[in-house]
Amino acid sequence: MGGIARTSELRVAGVSEGAIADAVADGVLVRVRRGTYASAETPALLRHALAHGGALCCASAAAHHGLWVLDPEAALHVWLGPNGRAHAADGCRPRVHRDEGRHPRGIVSPRVAVRQMLDCIGAEAFFCALESGLRHRILGAADVAWLREHVPRTHRWLVDLARKDADSGLESLIRLRLHLLGIEVRTQVRIGGVGVVDFVVGDRLILEADGSTHGGDHRHRDLVRDAVATVLGFVTLRYDYALIVHDWPLVEDAILSALGRGLHRSSGIPRRPF
Ligand SMILES: [Zn+2]
Ligand SMILES: [Zn+2]
């Protein structure tokens, strides 16, 4: 039964009231709410959603499936179906989803979770979750085709822009935001002597997102990379997670200013004077 059953289903399967009580006493079954039981192995988040009367969905399900979600703890997203009743379980107020469907195992599929994120959280969250799913092979070609069919026509371009080689959610976020500014980037570019950098714009503008591929605790190594890149004629702009997520307008201004001054083009650079 996928680890979740109603009392009526257990009765049909020949499990008596007494046997259910024994299983609960032994810790094999957990009574999630009146008339609904879960096996002890059912993850706590799924049991939490069940306690509220539904299945884990949207960002909560996406995070549980291993997709990238910016703030998975922000809220519990529970699918109740069109007519399901929300149960007050523990004082928390889950975000309720009421789209059609059937999710008998207590959690929606990865592709349904991603689709729900588009309406509930937004295009960026949708895109980042989608790219992380492709990267980690949680989503495949069939899911991409399904999503193309199931998102509004105006959002299909997001599905088409998604790639399977994004290294982190932060990288997906930056690439999407730059795309919306009309800036195309190359990602994960290997530069001899420097290593692999997150993004290159034009011929020589490097964008690095600290905390995406190589953590924030490698400051010295990053400074060496930047110095080598400068010697080779590159310009490096480096931003951390907090700037990208919480102060994007400043990052955007900085990048646009650099592009406005042509720092991404190699034509017109004087030869090295030594
Ligand atoms: Zn949601
Ligand atoms: Zn709750």
Side-chain angles (χ1 to χ4, degrees):
M1 293 177 177
I4 293 162
R6 300 191 58 78
T7 313
S8 53
E9 294 171 310
L10 290 169
R11 290 235 187 89
V12 168
V15 185
S16 69
E17 195 95 15
I20 295 174
D22 287 348
V24 171
D26 292 344
V28 176
L29 274 189
V30 179
R31 181 177 178 274
V32 184
R33 65 182 156 83
R34 192 181 154 82
T36 303
Y37 294 87
S39 78
E41 289 100 70
T42 303
L45 259 181
L46 270 68
R47 298 207 304 250
H48 189 180
L50 267 179
H52 284 288
L56 200 65
C57 76
C58 190
S60 303
H64 192 77
H65 284 303
L67 305 179
W68 193 81
V69 175
L70 183 60
D71 192 0
E73 310 282 301
L76 184 77
H77 298 251
V78 179
W79 176 84
L80 295 176
N83 306 310
R85 188 165 71 83
H87 292 255
D90 48 15
C92 87
R93 297 173 121 254
R95 279 212 214 169
V96 167
H97 286 252
R98 294 198 170 277
D99 41 308
E100 301 275 349
R102 228 179 92 70
H103 309 289
R105 288 178 189 275
I107 184 167
V108 307
S109 67
R111 70 188 188 189
V112 169
V114 170
R115 172 63 188 92
Q116 289 168 331
M117 288 175 74
L118 178 61
D119 297 330
C120 182
I121 304 178
E124 287 186 344
F126 168 83
F127 183 75
C128 294
L130 171 56
E131 283 210 327
S132 71
L134 294 173
R135 162 91 188 189
H136 299 294
R137 300 184 186 202
I138 297 163
L139 298 170
D143 300 308
V144 171
W146 184 89
L147 282 167
R148 270 194 110 256
E149 283 303 307
H150 287 80
V151 299
R153 200 176 286 269
T154 49
H155 287 79
R156 277 196 190 147
W157 66 273
L158 280 166
V159 181
D160 296 334
L161 188 68
R163 297 177 2 185
K164 54 183 173 208
D165 61 352
D167 226 44
S168 69
L170 213 49
E171 181 182 312
S172 299
L173 191 63
I174 294 170
R175 195 164 65 83
L176 176 60
R177 287 175 174 179
L178 294 178
H179 176 84
L180 288 170
L181 292 171
I183 302 167
E184 295 308 321
V185 294
R186 284 177 289 147
T187 57
Q188 301 299 315
V189 180
R190 179 170 293 282
I191 298 172
V194 177
V196 177
V197 301
D198 292 335
F199 304 96
V200 173
V201 188
D203 307 315
R204 64 180 189 112
L205 183 66
I206 295 171
L207 297 179
E208 292 266 55
D210 287 357
S212 60
T213 54
H214 41 79
D217 55 341
H218 298 107
R219 180 166 161 75
H220 177 70
R221 203 186 66 189
D222 288 342
L223 291 174
V224 172
R225 279 159 64 93
D226 295 353
V228 173
T230 304
V231 171
L232 294 173
F234 290 91
V235 175
T236 304
L237 301 179
R238 182 178 290 283
Y239 306 107
D240 67 1
Y241 181 92
L243 265 170
I244 292 160
V245 171
H246 302 299
D247 204 358
W248 177 257
L250 179 58
V251 174
E252 183 178 310
D253 276 353
I255 294 171
L256 290 176
S257 168
L259 294 179
R261 281 178 284 135
L263 296 183
H264 57 307
R265 290 195 212 99
S266 47
S267 57
I269 309 175
R271 292 179 69 84
R272 280 168 64 177
F274 51 88

